[in-house]
Amino acid sequence: MKCSICIHTSKTKKIINKNGKVFCIDCLNFLKYPPNFELMKKEVEEILHNLKKSEGRYHCILAFSGGKDSVLALKLLKEKFKLNPLCVMVDNNYISKEAIENALKITKYYEVDLMILNRDYTDLFEDAIRRGESPCRRCSKLILREVWRVAKMLNMKYIITGHELPFGHSAIRKMKEGVEMIRLLAPYKIKEEEKYKMLKNLPWKKPNLGGYTTNCLVLGVALERFYEKYGFSFEVDRVATLVRFGLLSKEKAEEVLKKPDIPEEVYKELRRRGLNI
Ligand SMILES: [Zn+2]
């Protein structure tokens, strides 16, 4: 049984037959309590317009990865909101060379400062890959903690991220000690093809890494191992939400959720960087 709205099947989600139509439980919830994107936009824009009046060298922190979404967030901050963020990038030892090049080029283009923190998440990734689990949640938690530390050190309240999905019904979430996180792309519902169009005239090039990523070297391999173990992608929930929100076509989603084809160079590069796989 397949959901009539997203791409979930009975293999990945509870499916319910309602008045002769088939929905997954997440789509049913979505229909019952649809998120108000206009309200989300209003909340975010009010904060960002007020930030413009704030003093100090930077208006906010941007959690930056060199991937397409954080680059789009930078574009919005600079062009739409006329803000000067400090871009903070955590290089966990497995950011692709192309993503770092993209990060350097694009921050230079927008004349914003880039802080790169060097860390090593080899243990985390080896552990996740060995178990056939997704490393994404643990990795992004560690990265956000680093970015939060920078925000505290510089006494800044707002951390902007390039996440495209909201936290439930809001794009804003309170973190510890008065810091708040804003998922800047969430209220704008920018479609996948639209994103690439928006990046077209910027000094940014899409790397070929396998999986649905433009910066992470590990994701493709982690997806591959998970797929071998469970027979589906651990990104299925996120991708289903993208389809539900109209950000990704079903066809593209099916493609993204297939077992990824990892270029041999990615494997070589991972081993060269110390990942024992
Ligand atoms: Zn569904």
Side-chain angles (χ1 to χ4, degrees):
M1 289 238 281
K2 200 170 183 180
C3 175
S4 57
I5 295 179
C6 74
I7 38 82
H8 272 309
T9 64
S10 30
K11 190 163 138 193
T12 54
K13 196 62 68 174
K14 189 172 176 190
I15 304 284
I16 292 165
N17 195 322
K18 202 174 179 243
N19 308 327
K21 265 196 123 181
V22 181
F23 303 104
C24 76
I25 186 87
D26 289 355
C27 284
L28 214 53
N29 261 323
F30 171 78
L31 293 174
K32 230 191 246 174
Y33 311 103
N36 186 337
F37 287 93
E38 280 309 308
L39 186 66
M40 258 184 237
K41 197 185 288 179
K42 215 175 138 231
E43 282 174 348
V44 167
E45 293 191 349
E46 201 177 303
I47 291 174
L48 295 185
H49 286 308
N50 282 328
L51 271 184
K52 216 184 311 183
K53 298 173 213 148
S54 68
E55 290 183 9
R57 182 157 175 192
Y58 307 110
H59 293 112
C60 56
I61 302 261
L62 173 61
F64 196 69
S65 72
K68 70 175 187 313
D69 292 337
S70 62
V71 170
L72 266 183
L74 176 59
K75 180 183 168 82
L76 287 179
L77 287 176
K78 289 292 290 183
E79 294 181 13
K80 182 175 167 72
F81 297 102
K82 317 284 181 213
L83 293 175
N84 179 36
L86 169 64
C87 299
V88 178
M89 181 168 188
V90 177
D91 180 356
N92 59 19
N93 196 31
Y94 297 95
I95 302 278
S96 75
K97 189 172 95 257
E98 297 92 329
I100 302 216
E101 276 164 16
N102 278 332
L104 292 171
K105 276 191 197 148
I106 207 91
T107 48
K108 189 173 171 206
Y109 173 84
Y110 277 120
E111 299 178 322
V112 289
D113 290 344
L114 171 64
M115 177 192 277
I116 301 184
L117 304 170
N118 286 295
R119 298 292 181 266
D120 188 348
Y121 293 0
T122 301
D123 290 347
L124 187 167
F125 291 139
E126 271 179 6
D127 183 60
I129 289 172
R130 199 167 35 231
R131 292 169 194 247
E133 285 173 1
S134 161
C136 301
R137 195 175 294 230
R138 277 160 75 196
C139 173
S140 52
K141 208 173 158 186
L142 289 180
I143 286 179
L144 268 177
R145 192 182 296 167
E146 297 285 354
V147 178
W148 178 86
R149 279 198 197 118
V150 176
K152 285 305 286 183
M153 201 171 70
L154 298 177
N155 203 17
M156 316 237 327
K157 180 166 178 175
Y158 292 103
I159 295 174
I160 313 297
T161 78
H163 288 101
E164 55 195 335
L165 294 176
F167 305 102
H169 286 237
S170 175
I172 306 164
R173 174 180 272 178
K174 288 188 167 40
M175 297 174 82
K176 280 190 304 184
E177 297 178 34
V179 177
E180 295 188 16
M181 181 176 158
I182 301 179
R183 291 187 158 179
L184 184 56
L185 301 190
Y188 298 101
K189 296 179 73 176
I190 308 167
K191 287 195 173 78
E192 179 79 0
E193 317 83 73
E194 189 62 28
K195 283 184 186 172
Y196 285 105
K197 264 187 222 156
M198 289 169 77
L199 294 173
K200 216 175 141 195
N201 296 319
L202 296 178
W204 185 89
K205 264 201 275 179
K206 183 180 190 286
N208 175 27
L209 302 174
Y212 186 67
T213 177
T214 46
N215 59 337
C216 175
L217 282 171
V218 179
L219 179 70
V221 175
L223 281 168
E224 191 181 41
R225 296 292 163 89
F226 186 95
Y227 205 103
E228 280 162 6
K229 194 170 169 187
Y230 297 102
F232 62 91
S233 166
F234 61 68
E235 297 237 86
V236 66
D237 265 324
R238 198 170 66 86
V239 172
T241 310
L242 293 174
V243 173
R244 191 175 305 125
F245 287 2
L247 303 180
L248 195 67
S249 71
K250 277 194 190 187
E251 296 73 47
K252 180 83 186 146
E254 304 282 3
E255 199 184 303
V256 166
L257 292 176
K258 274 189 203 149
K259 189 174 166 190
D261 202 4
I262 314 301
E264 188 49 40
E265 302 83 75
V266 172
Y267 265 100
K268 262 193 221 149
E269 184 62 20
L270 284 170
R271 292 194 188 106
R272 200 185 62 76
R273 293 189 189 200
L275 199 73
N276 187 10
I277 45 165

